[in-house]
Amino acid sequence: MMIELPPSYRAFCEDDGVRTAVDHILESKSLSLYAGIKWRDLSAFHTAVLSAHQVRCEHAIFLIKFWNDVWKSACKKSDLGATLKALTVADTEKRWGQKLDTNTVWNKSWFIRGFRFTTTKSSFYAGAMADVDHVMLAIDYYDADGDQRTTDLELGDKWPEDKFENGYARTIKKIGRIRAGGVDLTHLCKAAGDALTAIKAHENDR
């Protein structure tokens, strides 16, 4: 299964010039005209600003699609659905500690959704990330007391222990390489399924 990058974000990933221009515009404190700008260049200036913001928005939209193609699909294939309750956007932002607005998703490069088990009250957060050359998944698991338990999970070889950061796990880069403007999701879907299987096993042992 393949997923394609949106055109504007693909150009950002593949073209150093585009990337430099977009970064400059998005990092600017204001959208002031540059010194000495000519009348003939005014439309091009506004077009560049529009394009930069389009890259940022399409990046966020792509992450949602990537998340749905991998995590949503994995959740449907697992038998966890009856015991899971999806957190709202507001609750996910509060509990994860990261906003999901366009600017924050761009700067952090992560999209996250949270779930709570109605039986044990434990929870987990499933993430999707996109950089200029790869995409990545993340998983973070907590018990009912809010203690992080991700490192207790047997996640498999696509979630190596040396990729744990701040207690949460990330997939290895090589299974999510961006090639020719797209990503083969086969191994990432397997990694997501493995993660949910590990969470189910841990839940059953409690």
Side-chain angles (χ1 to χ4, degrees), residues 34-43 45:
Y34 57 85
I37 189 172
K38 305 296 183 182
W39 286 111
R40 64 176 179 271
D41 298 324
L42 201 53
S43 290
F45 171 83

Side-chain angles (χ1 to χ4, degrees), residues 39-192:
W39 286 111
R40 64 176 179 271
D41 298 324
L42 201 53
S43 290
F45 171 83
H46 292 305
T47 300
V49 172
L50 175 63
S51 297
H53 287 281
Q54 182 174 348
V55 171
R56 181 167 59 180
C57 290
E58 287 195 346
H59 167 263
I61 293 168
F62 169 75
L63 281 179
I64 295 171
K65 177 172 173 48
F66 172 37
W67 193 98
N68 286 337
D69 286 352
V70 177
W71 283 117
K72 186 175 181 178
S73 176
C75 285
K76 284 183 177 180
K77 291 178 180 178
S78 75
D79 55 0
L80 295 176
T83 61
L84 281 182
K85 180 180 180 181
L87 298 181
T88 64
V89 173
D91 282 344
T92 297
E93 289 183 329
K94 180 180 179 181
R95 294 175 183 273
W96 178 254
Q98 176 181 314
K99 298 294 184 181
L100 293 174
D101 60 89
T102 312
N103 190 51
T104 304
V105 170
W106 174 261
N107 289 325
K108 299 292 187 179
S109 293
W110 284 106
F111 174 75
I112 303 290
R113 286 199 62 178
F115 298 85
R116 187 179 183 91
F117 285 94
T118 56
T119 48
T120 62
K121 306 305 179 185
S122 56
S123 59
F124 71 90
Y125 299 83
M129 171 269 188
D131 206 339
V132 296
D133 59 4
H134 69 281
V135 298
M136 187 181 292
L137 302 178
I139 194 75
D140 203 4
Y141 177 64
Y142 293 82
D143 64 21
D145 296 323
D147 295 324
Q148 200 171 35
R149 298 296 184 186
T150 314
T151 53
D152 296 341
L153 301 175
E154 297 292 336
L155 294 170
D157 60 358
K158 294 174 179 60
W159 303 86
E161 291 185 6
D162 64 351
K163 292 297 179 183
F164 278 74
E165 181 178 308
N166 299 323
Y168 67 85
R170 298 172 294 162
T171 50
I172 54 178
K173 287 185 177 181
K174 69 179 183 179
I175 66 170
R177 294 291 185 191
I178 297 173
R179 302 183 189 280
V183 183
D184 183 348
L185 298 181
T186 304
H187 295 294
L188 290 162
C189 288
K190 175 67 165 56

